[in-house]
Amino acid sequence: NDDAEEDNTEIADDNETPEGNAAGDEVAVKKKPVFSSLSEAIRSNESTIEDVRLLFSREIGTDGIRSVSSEDRAYLWTKVICGKALEDVDNSSLADSFREWQNS
């Protein structure tokens, strides 16, 4: 029973990122967010590519039978290729420049 508690502690520690100053004063621990779905993860600025891969394999799988919803495709593509949420890329100066070039 004590071993189980130690294992849980180790998992929780891996899920925390310390933040503080160089002197080590007042270190705050920021918990990594947990995403309940692929749709939620691909829309978040805080998700990582690993979060997306894990949720994709759980929800969609690699068998090719299921596919990503049409609403999620642009978000998924942007997150995987750019590593950012679609809104961030869409609001970037590069996206503005592309739209201006496309409309000229």
Side-chain angles (χ1 to χ4, degrees), residues 9-62:
T9 302
E10 290 175 19
I11 292 169
D13 289 344
D14 289 344
N15 201 24
E16 297 173 351
T17 305
E19 292 181 354
N21 60 24
D25 297 334
E26 296 186 29
V27 175
V29 178
K30 181 179 180 185
K31 298 237 182 212
K32 184 177 180 275
V34 177
F35 301 96
S36 59
S37 70
L38 176 63
S39 186
E40 179 185 5
I42 59 179
R43 286 171 170 76
S44 172
N45 292 325
E46 296 184 36
S47 66
T48 65
I49 297 298
E50 283 304 312
D51 294 330
V52 171
R53 284 186 184 143
L54 179 64
L55 289 163
F56 183 91
S57 66
R58 283 185 189 167
E59 292 181 25
I60 308 301
T62 56

